Amino acid sequence: AYDSLLSLLKGNGVIDVNLNWSFGDGHLVFIGDLFDRGDKVTELLWLVYKLWNQAPISNGKVHVLFGNHELLALNKDYRYLNDKYMYLTRGLNIDYSSLYSTNTILGNFVRSFKVAVEIDSVLFVHAGISAHLVDKRITIDELNRIFFQKLNQFNPDIITERILLIYSEATSDKGPFWYRGYVTESNVITRATQEEIDKVLKFYGAKTMVIGHTEVLSITKLYNGKLLPINVPFDRVGVEKQGLKIEKGKIFISNSAGVNQQIN
C-alpha cells in the first residue's frame, strides 16, 4: 500500500512533496509488515530508510518494528511475495532473501528493526504481547537483543536454554509476530481477557498497547482503552486511510486529508 501510505504521510505533514522528512521532532512508528503482497516493497523500504536517517537531524525519530512478513522474507518463506519479485529474482537466478543479506544496505537496515518499542508509556508491537509471554518473564530488551543477534548472525558463545525459550515463544502463535487473541479468537487461541492485558501492561510499565497484524476496519479503543489495533487495510477499495496520532497524551485518528478525529 505504498501509494496510500504516501498520501497519509503527506496529508499529516510527516513528509513533504519531495518525500523528505517534515515532522520536526516527532516520532513515526511503522508497526511491521513492510514486506509482501504489494509490488512496491523496494520503494517503501528505501523511503523508510531515508526518513530513518533524516528524522534525527531535526531531533525526530523513526521506529520500525518487525512483523511476521519480515521474518517470512528473511527465512525464505515466499508464500505472500508479489509475482513481480518472483519474476525478478528468477530472471536473475538469485534468491529473494539475498537482496536483504548482511552484505546489503537494506538488509542491514531491516535487521536493525525492533520487536517492540515503548514511547511515553505506549507499547508498540506488531501482533501484541500475550500474557503467556509475561508468564515466562520475557522482557522487551531480551526480545530486541536476541532477535538482533539471531538475524545479524551474532551468535553468542553459549546458546542458553533461556535464549532458546525466548526465540521459541516469540515465534509461536502466542508471540509478538503472530498473536491474534486481542482482536479475534479461534479454536487454538482464545480471546484475551481484560485481566490479561492489564497483566501485560503492568509487567512492561505501559499504559496502552498499539498493535497491527490483525485487520480492523477502523482504529478504535478496546479493553477499556488499553489496546489500540491499527491495521486498517487502506489499500482496499472503500476503506478510509487511517493512521494513529498521539499528541500531548490525546489519541486521534488521522486521515489522508490531515483531519484528526479524537478517540474518546
Side-chain angles (χ1 to χ4, degrees):
Y2 176 74
D3 297 307
S4 292
L5 176 66
L6 289 186
S7 68
L8 192 63
L9 294 178
K10 287 178 184 177
N12 286 278
V14 178
I15 60 175
D16 61 21
V17 292
N18 295 313
L19 312 188
N20 291 310
W21 180 263
S22 59
F23 203 41
D25 61 358
H27 287 238
L28 174 64
V29 182
F30 290 94
I31 205 81
D33 284 358
L34 305 186
F35 279 80
D36 284 341
R37 292 199 172 93
D39 64 357
K40 293 184 179 179
V41 173
T42 308
E43 291 90 332
L44 174 57
L45 287 171
W46 279 118
L47 172 68
V48 177
Y49 177 72
K50 179 176 73 168
L51 299 178
W52 182 72
N53 282 285
Q54 288 180 339
I57 297 172
S58 54
N59 295 317
K61 191 165 185 178
V62 173
H63 309 264
V64 195
L65 303 183
F66 278 113
N68 56 305
H69 287 273
E70 278 73 32
L71 296 183
L72 290 174
L74 293 179
N75 287 306
K76 302 184 179 183
D77 186 334
Y78 305 141
R79 73 186 97 160
Y80 302 106
L81 187 63
N82 188 276
D83 287 345
K84 167 184 171 180
Y85 298 103
M86 295 298 289
Y87 298 144
L88 170 69
T89 52
R90 189 181 303 146
L92 294 173
N93 196 29
I94 60 174
D95 188 88
Y96 180 70
S97 67
S98 68
L99 299 176
Y100 304 102
S101 72
T102 54
N103 297 321
T104 67
I105 292 174
L106 287 181
N108 285 303
F109 175 52
V110 170
R111 291 160 199 275
S112 75
F113 293 178
K114 304 293 186 183
V115 177
V117 64
E118 188 173 331
I119 307 169
D120 293 339
S121 298
V122 180
L123 178 62
F124 296 86
V125 60
H126 177 65
I129 295 183
S130 68
H132 179 76
L133 262 67
V134 171
D135 290 337
K136 307 293 183 182
R137 316 301 289 177
I138 298 175
T139 68
I140 298 301
D141 179 68
E142 284 180 310
L143 285 169
N144 287 334
R145 176 166 43 83
I146 287 171
F147 272 85
F148 181 82
Q149 291 174 344
K150 174 75 173 176
L151 295 172
N152 288 278
Q153 301 168 9
F154 296 159
N155 294 322
D157 294 332
I158 300 175
I159 304 295
T160 65
E161 289 186 8
R162 180 66 174 171
I163 290 174
L164 292 173
L165 169 73
I166 291 172
Y167 190 78
S168 174
E169 295 291 350
T171 53
S172 73
D173 55 12
K174 294 182 180 179
F177 311 111
W178 293 98
Y179 185 60
R180 296 191 189 275
Y182 287 124
V183 181
T184 63
E185 62 181 344
S186 66
N187 294 332
V188 179
I189 300 294
T190 59
R191 187 73 182 265
T193 65
Q194 183 70 47
E195 290 74 19
E196 287 177 318
I197 192 168
D198 288 342
K199 179 180 180 179
V200 170
L201 293 174
K202 181 179 180 181
F203 180 75
Y204 293 112
K207 296 179 180 178
T208 311
M209 190 190 313
V210 175
I211 65 170
H213 191 52
T214 305
E215 289 185 352
V216 292
L217 293 180
S218 182
I219 298 173
T220 55
K221 286 183 177 180
L222 300 178
Y223 294 93
N224 294 320
K226 300 291 183 69
L227 185 86
L228 288 160
I230 65 168
N231 185 19
V232 176
F234 52 57
D235 58 333
R236 189 180 301 168
V237 175
V239 177
E240 182 184 29
K241 301 174 185 65
Q242 292 184 1
L244 181 72
K245 184 176 183 180
I246 302 175
E247 188 172 27
K248 297 179 179 178
K250 295 181 179 179
I251 300 172
F252 302 89
I253 297 173
S254 295
N255 64 19
S256 55
V259 176
N260 297 322
Q261 176 188 348
Q262 186 170 352
I263 304 176
N264 296 321

